Amino acid sequence: MPTLRISNSGSALLLLAVLTTFMACAPKKSPPVPMDLAQESIIPIPVSVKATNSSFELTSATDIYVQGDSKELLKIGQYLADKLNPSTGLGIEVKSSNEAPAVGNIYLSIKKDAKLGAEGYNLNITPDGVTLEANAPAGLFMGVQTIRQLLPAQVESSSKQEGPWRMATGTINDIPTYAVRGAMFDVARHFFSVEDTKRFIDLIAAYKMNTMHLHLSDDQGWRIEIKSWPKLAEHGGKTQVGGGKGGYYTQEQYKDIVQYALDRYITIIPEIDMPGHTNAALAAYPELNCDGKARELYTGTEVGFSTLCTKNEITYKFIDDVIRELAALTPGPFIHIGGDESHVTKKEDYIPFVNRVQGIVLSHGKQAIGWDEIALGTLKKGAFVQHWADVDNAVNAVKQGSKVLMSPARKAYMDMQYDSTTQWGLHWAAYIEVDSAYIWDPATLVPGLAQKDVLGIEAPLWSETVDQIDEVEYMVFPRLPGYAEIGWSAASARNWDGYKKRLGAHGPRFTAMGINYYPSKLVEWKEDKGKKLKN
Ligand code: IFG
């Protein structure tokens, strides 16, 4: 073994200095360790996972490279960096590159592959780096959620945590089952701030959901500024269930929410519920009432007592103005026209009304979606039905050639109590524990509805009984990841015994994300039982 001869002490010192400096800034990278990708608790469960039983470690030398210099890919890279840096402190930067980066980095690239569709992705992890490929940017964003889940739970913390930051190696190929996978936030019964709504959006994005339905108007409140009918928000937004101060989104704030959702590949579906659930509008404008008298603002929780005046032309001018303004603010394809519980609208008035309103939506370049009662009418081009209560309406929609967004109240209403002890929520449809929320299949739940007839799944959170975001989180978690999995993963890949183990491993992730989740006794939560929960 040749011995290194140093001619004199000066060069020895220089060499020592160089070596010391190099060692100091070389990332502290321990050798790969055996890790099993197949044992990771990914939710939604991916289509295929192949483990190669080693590990990749993120270090201070790790950066995220995106293919080319597309702003959209750089934004996705930055989203991931912003999720990783606060907890790891690794100072991960986002850079453009035209080819795969050097060893030790993460690489996001677009690879045309029709099989992956709009949201599929391929993730390949080796001891030398991570490559994430997708047919489209949305697929990269979905793959980024998987990368998050392959790192230790404390990566989700907003403060510096101890590493090491290792991921198990292997390949994941993944693609969603349903095109629409979402939640609904009722900001009408109780109003929630832009920040709260953004928080809800952030949380559903972590589980690959791509749709947020905002219930913007109801008897108790009108929550979106309409410039041509200003009193809708100014007066109709004044209060809420229980008489609190209410509120509304200005059009600028609504655009901010829409962009925040878009940046997370989430489409906003705005809902203006009609002809029922309209007391707030009827209180704002006397001319919308058949008797020409403005209604009082309403702060209770009854339903089915209000209706627009379906025989007055001014009603359709009102609807046209509202939908025109809302469509201009909504890049997504859908406007939700409500249509539920119109108990004081005669059926012979209701049917022409919903038919005409669908036409107004189409005239503003959007597709209509409505609660399943609108299937009593004639569904126009591109119209879809959201099934919540009446299976005949759902089957009728399919018979008319439409598709159904599945939100069965007895399975998917997140305002239902978990059990009779839950402090918030209702139970008119059912008590929905975490297992009941998971053990169902949208493709077989309604006889006469097959998978091809299902547009997707949406879990509504009605807010009659909650007015704080941590109460919303308590009702939404831990049921939401299950709905996300029902929407993303094939039914054949889903079973409660396997899922509840993976869900238990997400307890520490919920905690790291500051989610006030319900620690259901049906799940073995992988974190200290003494976790204090607000309830
Ligand atoms: N049904 C009403 C909602 C809400 C809900 C609470 C629909 C479509 C009961 N309509 O669900 O407005 O009050 O669980």
Side-chain angles (χ1 to χ4, degrees), residues 160-183:
K160 178 86 172 64
Q161 304 296 310
E162 277 308 302
W165 303 101
R166 292 198 192 99
M167 300 168 68
T169 59
T171 56
I172 292 178
N173 305 106
D174 206 2
I175 184 164
T177 300
Y178 293 107
V180 177
R181 309 175 307 277

mmCIF file with all atom_site columns, all heavy atoms in Angstrom, residues 160-183:
data_model
loop_
_atom_site.group_PDB
_atom_site.id
_atom_site.type_symbol
_atom_site.label_atom_id
_atom_site.label_alt_id
_atom_site.label_comp_id
_atom_site.label_asym_id
_atom_site.label_entity_id
_atom_site.label_seq_id
_atom_site.pdbx_PDB_ins_code
_atom_site.Cartn_x
_atom_site.Cartn_y
_atom_site.Cartn_z
_atom_site.occupancy
_atom_site.B_iso_or_equiv
_atom_site.pdbx_formal_charge
_atom_site.auth_seq_id
_atom_site.auth_comp_id
_atom_site.auth_asym_id
_atom_site.auth_atom_id
_atom_site.pdbx_PDB_model_num
ATOM 1   N N   . LYS A 1 160 ? -38.240 22.678 13.153  1.00 0.00 ? 160 LYS A N   1
ATOM 2   C CA  . LYS A 1 160 ? -37.070 21.827 12.870  1.00 0.00 ? 160 LYS A CA  1
ATOM 3   C C   . LYS A 1 160 ? -37.144 20.535 13.674  1.00 0.00 ? 160 LYS A C   1
ATOM 4   O O   . LYS A 1 160 ? -37.410 20.553 14.882  1.00 0.00 ? 160 LYS A O   1
ATOM 5   C CB  . LYS A 1 160 ? -35.806 22.629 13.251  1.00 0.00 ? 160 LYS A CB  1
ATOM 6   C CG  . LYS A 1 160 ? -34.515 21.882 13.071  1.00 0.00 ? 160 LYS A CG  1
ATOM 7   C CD  . LYS A 1 160 ? -33.952 21.992 11.659  1.00 0.00 ? 160 LYS A CD  1
ATOM 8   C CE  . LYS A 1 160 ? -32.563 21.365 11.623  1.00 0.00 ? 160 LYS A CE  1
ATOM 9   N NZ  . LYS A 1 160 ? -32.636 19.892 11.909  1.00 0.00 ? 160 LYS A NZ  1
ATOM 10  N N   . GLN A 1 161 ? -36.980 19.408 13.019  1.00 0.00 ? 161 GLN A N   1
ATOM 11  C CA  . GLN A 1 161 ? -37.026 18.097 13.679  1.00 0.00 ? 161 GLN A CA  1
ATOM 12  C C   . GLN A 1 161 ? -35.719 17.358 13.413  1.00 0.00 ? 161 GLN A C   1
ATOM 13  O O   . GLN A 1 161 ? -34.996 17.680 12.467  1.00 0.00 ? 161 GLN A O   1
ATOM 14  C CB  . GLN A 1 161 ? -38.189 17.280 13.102  1.00 0.00 ? 161 GLN A CB  1
ATOM 15  C CG  . GLN A 1 161 ? -39.550 17.963 13.191  1.00 0.00 ? 161 GLN A CG  1
ATOM 16  C CD  . GLN A 1 161 ? -40.003 18.175 14.624  1.00 0.00 ? 161 GLN A CD  1
ATOM 17  O OE1 . GLN A 1 161 ? -39.974 17.250 15.435  1.00 0.00 ? 161 GLN A OE1 1
ATOM 18  N NE2 . GLN A 1 161 ? -40.402 19.392 14.925  1.00 0.00 ? 161 GLN A NE2 1
ATOM 19  N N   . GLU A 1 162 ? -35.466 16.338 14.247  1.00 0.00 ? 162 GLU A N   1
ATOM 20  C CA  . GLU A 1 162 ? -34.278 15.506 14.069  1.00 0.00 ? 162 GLU A CA  1
ATOM 21  C C   . GLU A 1 162 ? -34.450 14.585 12.861  1.00 0.00 ? 162 GLU A C   1
ATOM 22  O O   . GLU A 1 162 ? -35.547 14.024 12.673  1.00 0.00 ? 162 GLU A O   1
ATOM 23  C CB  . GLU A 1 162 ? -34.065 14.632 15.328  1.00 0.00 ? 162 GLU A CB  1
ATOM 24  C CG  . GLU A 1 162 ? -33.341 15.384 16.452  1.00 0.00 ? 162 GLU A CG  1
ATOM 25  C CD  . GLU A 1 162 ? -32.052 16.026 15.972  1.00 0.00 ? 162 GLU A CD  1
ATOM 26  O OE1 . GLU A 1 162 ? -31.168 15.300 15.463  1.00 0.00 ? 162 GLU A OE1 1
ATOM 27  O OE2 . GLU A 1 162 ? -31.969 17.266 16.039  1.00 0.00 ? 162 GLU A OE2 1
ATOM 28  N N   . GLY A 1 163 ? -33.399 14.376 12.097  1.00 0.00 ? 163 GLY A N   1
ATOM 29  C CA  . GLY A 1 163 ? -33.465 13.401 11.011  1.00 0.00 ? 163 GLY A CA  1
ATOM 30  C C   . GLY A 1 163 ? -33.153 12.013 11.553  1.00 0.00 ? 163 GLY A C   1
ATOM 31  O O   . GLY A 1 163 ? -33.415 11.760 12.726  1.00 0.00 ? 163 GLY A O   1
ATOM 32  N N   . PRO A 1 164 ? -32.606 11.071 10.816  1.00 0.00 ? 164 PRO A N   1
ATOM 33  C CA  . PRO A 1 164 ? -32.313 11.218 9.386   1.00 0.00 ? 164 PRO A CA  1
ATOM 34  C C   . PRO A 1 164 ? -33.580 11.170 8.548   1.00 0.00 ? 164 PRO A C   1
ATOM 35  O O   . PRO A 1 164 ? -34.609 10.696 9.007   1.00 0.00 ? 164 PRO A O   1
ATOM 36  C CB  . PRO A 1 164 ? -31.425 10.008 9.110   1.00 0.00 ? 164 PRO A CB  1
ATOM 37  C CG  . PRO A 1 164 ? -31.904 8.968  10.081  1.00 0.00 ? 164 PRO A CG  1
ATOM 38  C CD  . PRO A 1 164 ? -32.324 9.718  11.317  1.00 0.00 ? 164 PRO A CD  1
ATOM 39  N N   . TRP A 1 165 ? -33.485 11.688 7.331   1.00 0.00 ? 165 TRP A N   1
ATOM 40  C CA  . TRP A 1 165 ? -34.636 11.808 6.439   1.00 0.00 ? 165 TRP A CA  1
ATOM 41  C C   . TRP A 1 165 ? -34.524 10.782 5.322   1.00 0.00 ? 165 TRP A C   1
ATOM 42  O O   . TRP A 1 165 ? -34.107 11.065 4.221   1.00 0.00 ? 165 TRP A O   1
ATOM 43  C CB  . TRP A 1 165 ? -34.742 13.247 5.916   1.00 0.00 ? 165 TRP A CB  1
ATOM 44  C CG  . TRP A 1 165 ? -34.838 14.216 7.048   1.00 0.00 ? 165 TRP A CG  1
ATOM 45  C CD1 . TRP A 1 165 ? -33.841 15.003 7.556   1.00 0.00 ? 165 TRP A CD1 1
ATOM 46  C CD2 . TRP A 1 165 ? -35.969 14.413 7.899   1.00 0.00 ? 165 TRP A CD2 1
ATOM 47  N NE1 . TRP A 1 165 ? -34.287 15.691 8.655   1.00 0.00 ? 165 TRP A NE1 1
ATOM 48  C CE2 . TRP A 1 165 ? -35.592 15.360 8.893   1.00 0.00 ? 165 TRP A CE2 1
ATOM 49  C CE3 . TRP A 1 165 ? -37.275 13.890 7.927   1.00 0.00 ? 165 TRP A CE3 1
ATOM 50  C CZ2 . TRP A 1 165 ? -36.467 15.800 9.885   1.00 0.00 ? 165 TRP A CZ2 1
ATOM 51  C CZ3 . TRP A 1 165 ? -38.150 14.336 8.916   1.00 0.00 ? 165 TRP A CZ3 1
ATOM 52  C CH2 . TRP A 1 165 ? -37.744 15.275 9.879   1.00 0.00 ? 165 TRP A CH2 1
ATOM 53  N N   . ARG A 1 166 ? -34.861 9.545  5.687   1.00 0.00 ? 166 ARG A N   1
ATOM 54  C CA  . ARG A 1 166 ? -34.699 8.452  4.740   1.00 0.00 ? 166 ARG A CA  1
ATOM 55  C C   . ARG A 1 166 ? -36.042 8.038  4.132   1.00 0.00 ? 166 ARG A C   1
ATOM 56  O O   . ARG A 1 166 ? -37.091 8.115  4.779   1.00 0.00 ? 166 ARG A O   1
ATOM 57  C CB  . ARG A 1 166 ? -34.121 7.230  5.454   1.00 0.00 ? 166 ARG A CB  1
ATOM 58  C CG  . ARG A 1 166 ? -32.704 7.389  5.935   1.00 0.00 ? 166 ARG A CG  1
ATOM 59  C CD  . ARG A 1 166 ? -32.077 6.001  6.214   1.00 0.00 ? 166 ARG A CD  1
ATOM 60  N NE  . ARG A 1 166 ? -30.820 6.147  6.931   1.00 0.00 ? 166 ARG A NE  1
ATOM 61  C CZ  . ARG A 1 166 ? -30.700 5.993  8.248   1.00 0.00 ? 166 ARG A CZ  1
ATOM 62  N NH1 . ARG A 1 166 ? -31.788 5.730  8.975   1.00 0.00 ? 166 ARG A NH1 1
ATOM 63  N NH2 . ARG A 1 166 ? -29.542 6.132  8.851   1.00 0.00 ? 166 ARG A NH2 1
ATOM 64  N N   . MET A 1 167 ? -35.963 7.565  2.874   1.00 0.00 ? 167 MET A N   1
ATOM 65  C CA  . MET A 1 167 ? -37.130 6.986  2.184   1.00 0.00 ? 167 MET A CA  1
ATOM 66  C C   . MET A 1 167 ? -36.757 5.576  1.758   1.00 0.00 ? 167 MET A C   1
ATOM 67  O O   . MET A 1 167 ? -35.617 5.338  1.350   1.00 0.00 ? 167 MET A O   1
ATOM 68  C CB  . MET A 1 167 ? -37.449 7.777  0.914   1.00 0.00 ? 167 MET A CB  1
ATOM 69  C CG  . MET A 1 167 ? -37.780 9.231  1.131   1.00 0.00 ? 167 MET A CG  1
ATOM 70  S SD  . MET A 1 167 ? -37.788 10.132 -0.420  1.00 0.00 ? 167 MET A SD  1
ATOM 71  C CE  . MET A 1 167 ? -39.221 9.422  -1.205  1.00 0.00 ? 167 MET A CE  1
ATOM 72  N N   . ALA A 1 168 ? -37.714 4.678  1.825   1.00 0.00 ? 168 ALA A N   1
ATOM 73  C CA  . ALA A 1 168 ? -37.447 3.314  1.341   1.00 0.00 ? 168 ALA A CA  1
ATOM 74  C C   . ALA A 1 168 ? -37.342 3.339  -0.187  1.00 0.00 ? 168 ALA A C   1
ATOM 75  O O   . ALA A 1 168 ? -38.011 4.129  -0.860  1.00 0.00 ? 168 ALA A O   1
ATOM 76  C CB  . ALA A 1 168 ? -38.614 2.407  1.752   1.00 0.00 ? 168 ALA A CB  1
ATOM 77  N N   . THR A 1 169 ? -36.511 2.452  -0.716  1.00 0.00 ? 169 THR A N   1
ATOM 78  C CA  . THR A 1 169 ? -36.299 2.454  -2.171  1.00 0.00 ? 169 THR A CA  1
ATOM 79  C C   . THR A 1 169 ? -37.239 1.470  -2.870  1.00 0.00 ? 169 THR A C   1
ATOM 80  O O   . THR A 1 169 ? -37.754 0.533  -2.261  1.00 0.00 ? 169 THR A O   1
ATOM 81  C CB  . THR A 1 169 ? -34.842 2.042  -2.514  1.00 0.00 ? 169 THR A CB  1
ATOM 82  O OG1 . THR A 1 169 ? -34.624 0.733  -1.959  1.00 0.00 ? 169 THR A OG1 1
ATOM 83  C CG2 . THR A 1 169 ? -33.859 3.048  -1.956  1.00 0.00 ? 169 THR A CG2 1
ATOM 84  N N   . GLY A 1 170 ? -37.463 1.755  -4.158  1.00 0.00 ? 170 GLY A N   1
ATOM 85  C CA  . GLY A 1 170 ? -38.330 0.887  -4.971  1.00 0.00 ? 170 GLY A CA  1
ATOM 86  C C   . GLY A 1 170 ? -39.072 1.732  -5.993  1.00 0.00 ? 170 GLY A C   1
ATOM 87  O O   . GLY A 1 170 ? -38.764 2.907  -6.176  1.00 0.00 ? 170 GLY A O   1
ATOM 88  N N   . THR A 1 171 ? -40.072 1.117  -6.620  1.00 0.00 ? 171 THR A N   1
ATOM 89  C CA  . THR A 1 171 ? -40.837 1.885  -7.615  1.00 0.00 ? 171 THR A CA  1
ATOM 90  C C   . THR A 1 171 ? -42.330 1.833  -7.277  1.00 0.00 ? 171 THR A C   1
ATOM 91  O O   . THR A 1 171 ? -42.837 0.801  -6.809  1.00 0.00 ? 171 THR A O   1
ATOM 92  C CB  . THR A 1 171 ? -40.663 1.281  -9.030  1.00 0.00 ? 171 THR A CB  1
ATOM 93  O OG1 . THR A 1 171 ? -41.044 -0.091 -8.966  1.00 0.00 ? 171 THR A OG1 1
ATOM 94  C CG2 . THR A 1 171 ? -39.233 1.402  -9.513  1.00 0.00 ? 171 THR A CG2 1
ATOM 95  N N   . ILE A 1 172 ? -42.986 2.947  -7.522  1.00 0.00 ? 172 ILE A N   1
ATOM 96  C CA  . ILE A 1 172 ? -44.439 3.043  -7.323  1.00 0.00 ? 172 ILE A CA  1
ATOM 97  C C   . ILE A 1 172 ? -45.044 3.535  -8.625  1.00 0.00 ? 172 ILE A C   1
ATOM 98  O O   . ILE A 1 172 ? -44.610 4.553  -9.169  1.00 0.00 ? 172 ILE A O   1
ATOM 99  C CB  . ILE A 1 172 ? -44.779 4.013  -6.174  1.00 0.00 ? 172 ILE A CB  1
ATOM 100 C CG1 . ILE A 1 172 ? -44.325 3.424  -4.833  1.00 0.00 ? 172 ILE A CG1 1
ATOM 101 C CG2 . ILE A 1 172 ? -46.277 4.315  -6.155  1.00 0.00 ? 172 ILE A CG2 1
ATOM 102 C CD1 . ILE A 1 172 ? -44.582 4.322  -3.635  1.00 0.00 ? 172 ILE A CD1 1
ATOM 103 N N   . ASN A 1 173 ? -45.997 2.731  -9.155  1.00 0.00 ? 173 ASN A N   1
ATOM 104 C CA  . ASN A 1 173 ? -46.761 3.189  -10.323 1.00 0.00 ? 173 ASN A CA  1
ATOM 105 C C   . ASN A 1 173 ? -48.182 3.400  -9.841  1.00 0.00 ? 173 ASN A C   1
ATOM 106 O O   . ASN A 1 173 ? -48.737 2.538  -9.156  1.00 0.00 ? 173 ASN A O   1
ATOM 107 C CB  . ASN A 1 173 ? -46.727 2.125  -11.422 1.00 0.00 ? 173 ASN A CB  1
ATOM 108 C CG  . ASN A 1 173 ? -45.276 1.780  -11.759 1.00 0.00 ? 173 ASN A CG  1
ATOM 109 O OD1 . ASN A 1 173 ? -44.786 0.723  -11.382 1.00 0.00 ? 173 ASN A OD1 1
ATOM 110 N ND2 . ASN A 1 173 ? -44.591 2.701  -12.387 1.00 0.00 ? 173 ASN A ND2 1
ATOM 111 N N   . ASP A 1 174 ? -48.764 4.555  -10.188 1.00 0.00 ? 174 ASP A N   1
ATOM 112 C CA  . ASP A 1 174 ? -50.033 4.876  -9.537  1.00 0.00 ? 174 ASP A CA  1
ATOM 113 C C   . ASP A 1 174 ? -50.925 5.684  -10.465 1.00 0.00 ? 174 ASP A C   1
ATOM 114 O O   . ASP A 1 174 ? -50.450 6.497  -11.268 1.00 0.00 ? 174 ASP A O   1
ATOM 115 C CB  . ASP A 1 174 ? -49.743 5.682  -8.261  1.00 0.00 ? 174 ASP A CB  1
ATOM 116 C CG  . ASP A 1 174 ? -50.827 5.524  -7.218  1.00 0.00 ? 174 ASP A CG  1
ATOM 117 O OD1 . ASP A 1 174 ? -51.785 4.760  -7.479  1.00 0.00 ? 174 ASP A OD1 1
ATOM 118 O OD2 . ASP A 1 174 ? -50.732 6.176  -6.162  1.00 0.00 ? 174 ASP A OD2 1
ATOM 119 N N   . ILE A 1 175 ? -52.231 5.470  -10.353 1.00 0.00 ? 175 ILE A N   1
ATOM 120 C CA  . ILE A 1 175 ? -53.196 6.204  -11.169 1.00 0.00 ? 175 ILE A CA  1
ATOM 121 C C   . ILE A 1 175 ? -54.545 6.154  -10.451 1.00 0.00 ? 175 ILE A C   1
ATOM 122 O O   . ILE A 1 175 ? -54.848 5.147  -9.809  1.00 0.00 ? 175 ILE A O   1
ATOM 123 C CB  . ILE A 1 175 ? -53.281 5.582  -12.585 1.00 0.00 ? 175 ILE A CB  1
ATOM 124 C CG1 . ILE A 1 175 ? -54.213 6.384  -13.483 1.00 0.00 ? 175 ILE A CG1 1
ATOM 125 C CG2 . ILE A 1 175 ? -53.681 4.123  -12.561 1.00 0.00 ? 175 ILE A CG2 1
ATOM 126 C CD1 . ILE A 1 175 ? -54.047 6.069  -14.956 1.00 0.00 ? 175 ILE A CD1 1
ATOM 127 N N   . PRO A 1 176 ? -55.341 7.222  -10.494 1.00 0.00 ? 176 PRO A N   1
ATOM 128 C CA  . PRO A 1 176 ? -56.594 7.228  -9.736  1.00 0.00 ? 176 PRO A CA  1
ATOM 129 C C   . PRO A 1 176 ? -57.690 6.449  -10.444 1.00 0.00 ? 176 PRO A C   1
ATOM 130 O O   . PRO A 1 176 ? -57.688 6.313  -11.671 1.00 0.00 ? 176 PRO A O   1
ATOM 131 C CB  . PRO A 1 176 ? -56.961 8.704  -9.656  1.00 0.00 ? 176 PRO A CB  1
ATOM 132 C CG  . PRO A 1 176 ? -56.307 9.325  -10.833 1.00 0.00 ? 176 PRO A CG  1
ATOM 133 C CD  . PRO A 1 176 ? -55.059 8.540  -11.088 1.00 0.00 ? 176 PRO A CD  1
ATOM 134 N N   . THR A 1 177 ? -58.664 5.953  -9.661  1.00 0.00 ? 177 THR A N   1
ATOM 135 C CA  . THR A 1 177 ? -59.827 5.271  -10.232 1.00 0.00 ? 177 THR A CA  1
ATOM 136 C C   . THR A 1 177 ? -60.834 6.296  -10.735 1.00 0.00 ? 177 THR A C   1
ATOM 137 O O   . THR A 1 177 ? -61.297 6.217  -11.870 1.00 0.00 ? 177 THR A O   1
ATOM 138 C CB  . THR A 1 177 ? -60.486 4.380  -9.149  1.00 0.00 ? 177 THR A CB  1
ATOM 139 O OG1 . THR A 1 177 ? -59.514 3.434  -8.721  1.00 0.00 ? 177 THR A OG1 1
ATOM 140 C CG2 . THR A 1 177 ? -61.718 3.676  -9.681  1.00 0.00 ? 177 THR A CG2 1
ATOM 141 N N   . TYR A 1 178 ? -61.229 7.254  -9.883  1.00 0.00 ? 178 TYR A N   1
ATOM 142 C CA  . TYR A 1 178 ? -62.271 8.215  -10.265 1.00 0.00 ? 178 TYR A CA  1
ATOM 143 C C   . TYR A 1 178 ? -61.680 9.587  -10.558 1.00 0.00 ? 178 TYR A C   1
ATOM 144 O O   . TYR A 1 178 ? -60.727 10.026 -9.906  1.00 0.00 ? 178 TYR A O   1
ATOM 145 C CB  . TYR A 1 178 ? -63.313 8.321  -9.139  1.00 0.00 ? 178 TYR A CB  1
ATOM 146 C CG  . TYR A 1 178 ? -64.120 7.052  -8.957  1.00 0.00 ? 178 TYR A CG  1
ATOM 147 C CD1 . TYR A 1 178 ? -63.908 6.208  -7.867  1.00 0.00 ? 178 TYR A CD1 1
ATOM 148 C CD2 . TYR A 1 178 ? -65.073 6.667  -9.906  1.00 0.00 ? 178 TYR A CD2 1
ATOM 149 C CE1 . TYR A 1 178 ? -64.619 5.034  -7.707  1.00 0.00 ? 178 TYR A CE1 1
ATOM 150 C CE2 . TYR A 1 178 ? -65.804 5.495  -9.760  1.00 0.00 ? 178 TYR A CE2 1
ATOM 151 C CZ  . TYR A 1 178 ? -65.565 4.676  -8.661  1.00 0.00 ? 178 TYR A CZ  1
ATOM 152 O OH  . TYR A 1 178 ? -66.278 3.508  -8.512  1.00 0.00 ? 178 TYR A OH  1
ATOM 153 N N   . ALA A 1 179 ? -62.304 10.274 -11.506 1.00 0.00 ? 179 ALA A N   1
ATOM 154 C CA  . ALA A 1 179 ? -61.819 11.589 -11.936 1.00 0.00 ? 179 ALA A CA  1
ATOM 155 C C   . ALA A 1 179 ? -62.087 12.671 -10.910 1.00 0.00 ? 179 ALA A C   1
ATOM 156 O O   . ALA A 1 179 ? -61.334 13.636 -10.807 1.00 0.00 ? 179 ALA A O   1
ATOM 157 C CB  . ALA A 1 179 ? -62.502 11.966 -13.258 1.00 0.00 ? 179 ALA A CB  1
ATOM 158 N N   . VAL A 1 180 ? -63.190 12.528 -10.149 1.00 0.00 ? 180 VAL A N   1
ATOM 159 C CA  . VAL A 1 180 ? -63.538 13.558 -9.164  1.00 0.00 ? 180 VAL A CA  1
ATOM 160 C C   . VAL A 1 180 ? -63.453 12.953 -7.768  1.00 0.00 ? 180 VAL A C   1
ATOM 161 O O   . VAL A 1 180 ? -64.142 11.983 -7.461  1.00 0.00 ? 180 VAL A O   1
ATOM 162 C CB  . VAL A 1 180 ? -64.952 14.135 -9.438  1.00 0.00 ? 180 VAL A CB  1
ATOM 163 C CG1 . VAL A 1 180 ? -65.331 15.156 -8.354  1.00 0.00 ? 180 VAL A CG1 1
ATOM 164 C CG2 . VAL A 1 180 ? -65.008 14.794 -10.813 1.00 0.00 ? 180 VAL A CG2 1
ATOM 165 N N   . ARG A 1 181 ? -62.602 13.575 -6.939  1.00 0.00 ? 181 ARG A N   1
ATOM 166 C CA  . ARG A 1 181 ? -62.400 13.063 -5.569  1.00 0.00 ? 181 ARG A CA  1
ATOM 167 C C   . ARG A 1 181 ? -62.313 14.297 -4.674  1.00 0.00 ? 181 ARG A C   1
ATOM 168 O O   . ARG A 1 181 ? -61.373 15.082 -4.796  1.00 0.00 ? 181 ARG A O   1
ATOM 169 C CB  . ARG A 1 181 ? -61.091 12.279 -5.488  1.00 0.00 ? 181 ARG A CB  1
ATOM 170 C CG  . ARG A 1 181 ? -60.933 11.210 -6.560  1.00 0.00 ? 181 ARG A CG  1
ATOM 171 C CD  . ARG A 1 181 ? -59.573 10.559 -6.516  1.00 0.00 ? 181 ARG A CD  1
ATOM 172 N NE  . ARG A 1 181 ? -58.492 11.514 -6.560  1.00 0.00 ? 181 ARG A NE  1
ATOM 173 C CZ  . ARG A 1 181 ? -58.002 12.050 -7.688  1.00 0.00 ? 181 ARG A CZ  1
ATOM 174 N NH1 . ARG A 1 181 ? -58.539 11.734 -8.862  1.00 0.00 ? 181 ARG A NH1 1
ATOM 175 N NH2 . ARG A 1 181 ? -57.025 12.929 -7.646  1.00 0.00 ? 181 ARG A NH2 1
ATOM 176 N N   . GLY A 1 182 ? -63.345 14.502 -3.834  1.00 0.00 ? 182 GLY A N   1
ATOM 177 C CA  . GLY A 1 182 ? -63.327 15.777 -3.138  1.00 0.00 ? 182 GLY A CA  1
ATOM 178 C C   . GLY A 1 182 ? -64.084 15.832 -1.838  1.00 0.00 ? 182 GLY A C   1
ATOM 179 O O   . GLY A 1 182 ? -64.578 14.825 -1.320  1.00 0.00 ? 182 GLY A O   1
ATOM 180 N N   . ALA A 1 183 ? -64.134 17.065 -1.334  1.00 0.00 ? 183 ALA A N   1
ATOM 181 C CA  . ALA A 1 183 ? -64.869 17.366 -0.106  1.00 0.00 ? 183 ALA A CA  1
ATOM 182 C C   . ALA A 1 183 ? -65.734 18.591 -0.377  1.00 0.00 ? 183 ALA A C   1
ATOM 183 O O   . ALA A 1 183 ? -65.537 19.295 -1.374  1.00 0.00 ? 183 ALA A O   1
ATOM 184 C CB  . ALA A 1 183 ? -63.889 17.647 1.040   1.00 0.00 ? 183 ALA A CB  1
#
